[in-house]
């Protein structure tokens, strides 16, 4: 007789994360660059947040949005990377049932929150360049607060069913996850239930959220380029585009890394399973390390703020 449909997870109380199942000897060598990237990401984001907090000239909506992006990056890093390093260093492969699904929720929701933040930042640049006279009345501190609430609420609520659906599946003994991270597909495939709806919801929700954000970003920059082409003052067009440069670099990098990750997962049968696992880890490390550095190098106000902060120390 089969188990009743409301039977949950009594047989599985924890999972074991097996990183790089075919190349576990890589782990000790890989831990050093990952540790350095983690320290770089955390240090760069903390420096950026402290600079924006202390430098009065940076108390503007654009930099508040950048602060939100740094906070999202830091939470993603802290949710994933310390556990990965614990596996590499001390072979701590066990993760509790609830801890696994909490990690899954943070990864899904904060990834889409980052995408949504890029969309709001693109709108900010659109208003700044296409409607400069109206910018102070449209992009206000209240706008940033409402945008932050929207970003958290929309993406948190729409991604929450992913770990809930996965946690309600029946796990009948198998608890070895062939991954360093509790991704939905890595965990749910251990279930003895049908996971079609689970996978379908993640696909629809993920691409609806990320896809709508990408479309709005493309529209914003299409309007920006159209407006810039009409500027006749010498040097004004280059100056207008330079204000978007850092943001556009980060969007392109974010989208490219995500696209590579999706392609490698779709081509899983043709690619060694360790490759998408490594790309998944790097996706939680490289963008958080890159974002504050790009803005710090390309934005004069942030660069000056960091220099002032270093002189105070």
């Amino acid at each position: 007789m089969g188990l009743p449909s409301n039977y949950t997870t009594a047989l599985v109380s924890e999972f074991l994360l097996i990183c790089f199942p075919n190349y576990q000897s890589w782990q000790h060598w890989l831990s050093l660059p990952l540790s350095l990237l983690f320290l770089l990401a955390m240090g760069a984001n903390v420096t950026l947040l402290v600079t924006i907090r202390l430098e009065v000239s940076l108390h503007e909506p654009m930099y508040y949005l950048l602060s939100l992006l740094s906070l999202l990056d830091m939470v993603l890093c802290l949710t994933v990377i310390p556990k990965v390093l614990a596996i590499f260093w001390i072979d701590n492969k066990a993760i509790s049932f609830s801890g696994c699904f909490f990690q899954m929720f943070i990864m899904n929701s904060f990834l889409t929150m980052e995408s949504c933040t890029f969309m709001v930042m693109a709108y900010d640049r659109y208003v700044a360049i296409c409607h400069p006279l109206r910018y102070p009345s449209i992009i206000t501190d209240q706008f940033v607060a409402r945008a932050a609430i929207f970003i958290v609420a929309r993406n948190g609520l729409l991604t929450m069913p992913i770990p809930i659906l996965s946690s309600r599946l029946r796990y009948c003994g198998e608890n070895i996850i062939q991954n360093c991270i509790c991704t939905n597909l890595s965990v749910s495939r251990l279930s003895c239930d049908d996971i079609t709806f689970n996978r379908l919801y993640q696909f629809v929700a993920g691409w609806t959220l990320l896809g709508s954000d990408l479309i709005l970003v493309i529209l914003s920059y299409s309007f920006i380029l159209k407006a810039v082409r009409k500027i006749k003052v010498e040097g004004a067009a280059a100056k207008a585009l330079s204000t978007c440069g850092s943001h556009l670099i980060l969007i392109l990098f974010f989208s490219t890394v995500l696209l590579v990750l999706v392609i490698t997962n779709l081509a899983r049968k043709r690619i060694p399973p360790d490759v998408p696992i490594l790309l998944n880890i790097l996706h939680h490390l490289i963008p958080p390390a890159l974002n504050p550095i790009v803005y710090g190098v390309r934005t004069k106000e942030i660069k000056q703020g960091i220099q002032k902060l270093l002189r105070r120390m």
Side-chain angles (χ1 to χ4, degrees):
M1 182 179 294
L3 293 168
S5 59
N6 63 351
Y7 181 82
T8 55
T9 55
L11 297 180
V12 174
S13 60
E14 66 177 17
F15 294 102
L16 296 178
L17 296 166
I18 306 298
C19 291
F20 307 116
N22 296 329
Y23 301 96
Q24 293 194 42
S25 59
W26 288 10
Q27 296 182 14
H28 297 295
W29 294 103
L30 195 57
S31 64
L32 180 58
L34 291 183
S35 300
L36 294 175
L37 272 174
F38 176 67
L39 291 174
L40 175 62
M42 298 304 296
N45 281 286
V46 168
T47 301
L48 182 62
L49 287 170
V50 172
T51 300
I52 294 174
R53 173 68 179 84
L54 296 180
E55 185 58 41
V56 178
S57 64
L58 299 179
H59 292 180
E60 297 179 3
M62 183 178 74
Y63 300 111
Y64 292 148
L65 291 172
L66 183 56
S67 297
L68 176 60
L69 183 64
S70 284
L71 287 172
L72 295 174
D73 282 337
M74 290 177 67
V75 172
L76 272 173
C77 257
L78 290 170
T79 302
V80 172
I81 304 305
K83 180 60 182 177
V84 173
L85 293 178
I87 295 172
F88 289 176
W89 288 340
I90 58 176
D91 204 33
N92 183 15
K93 299 175 182 178
I95 184 169
S96 68
F97 187 85
S98 58
C100 185
F101 293 106
F102 177 73
Q103 186 188 76
M104 187 187 299
F105 169 71
I106 294 295
M107 287 189 299
N108 283 283
S109 60
F110 277 62
L111 175 66
T112 53
M113 286 180 197
E114 279 202 12
S115 173
C116 195
T117 302
F118 281 128
M119 181 267 291
V120 175
M121 294 171 75
Y123 176 73
D124 169 82
R125 293 299 85 201
Y126 160 73
V127 176
I129 292 174
C130 298
H131 304 283
L133 298 179
R134 298 176 57 197
Y135 181 83
S137 62
I138 295 175
I139 309 298
T140 62
D141 291 351
Q142 291 75 19
F143 169 83
V144 174
R146 289 194 294 267
I149 293 171
F150 170 75
I151 289 168
V152 173
R154 184 196 78 155
N155 298 288
L157 291 175
L158 291 179
T159 56
M160 188 178 294
I162 295 173
I164 291 177
L165 288 170
S166 191
S167 66
R168 290 176 63 84
L169 296 171
R170 291 179 297 132
Y171 296 91
C172 308
E174 179 63 43
N175 71 334
I176 297 177
I177 300 173
Q178 302 288 335
N179 206 329
C180 301
I181 305 171
C182 287
T183 64
N184 180 41
L185 295 182
S186 296
V187 177
S188 60
R189 66 165 52 102
L190 301 179
S191 168
C192 44
D193 283 338
D194 182 13
I195 62 171
T196 302
F197 181 73
N198 182 304
R199 299 180 65 176
L200 180 63
Y201 183 86
Q202 176 170 0
F203 178 82
V204 172
W207 285 109
T208 298
L209 295 172
L210 297 174
S212 61
D213 291 339
L214 182 59
I215 289 171
L216 291 172
V217 167
I218 292 172
L219 283 175
S220 295
Y221 274 95
S222 298
F223 288 128
I224 288 172
L225 291 175
K226 185 177 180 181
V228 166
R229 288 175 61 187
K230 295 179 180 179
I231 298 176
K232 303 300 183 182
V233 180
E234 185 177 354
K239 184 177 180 181
L241 287 176
S242 69
T243 64
C244 303
S246 302
H247 182 224
L248 192 56
I249 290 171
L250 298 183
I251 289 175
L252 291 173
F253 187 80
F254 178 85
S255 302
T256 302
V257 172
L258 191 61
L259 181 62
V260 170
L261 185 58
V262 169
I263 291 173
T264 54
N265 276 281
L266 290 175
R268 188 179 292 271
K269 293 182 179 179
R270 302 178 184 177
I271 297 175
D274 304 280
V275 173
I277 292 174
L278 178 60
L279 289 174
N280 212 334
I281 295 172
L282 293 177
H283 181 63
H284 291 85
L285 264 179
I286 295 179
L290 184 68
N291 292 348
I293 292 173
V294 169
Y295 264 96
V297 170
R298 292 184 56 87
T299 307
K300 182 177 68 174
E301 292 81 4
I302 292 179
K303 189 186 301 184
Q304 292 173 346
I306 293 174
Q307 290 171 350
K308 289 181 182 179
L309 178 64
L310 293 175
R311 283 197 293 266
R312 292 176 187 175
M313 296 174 65

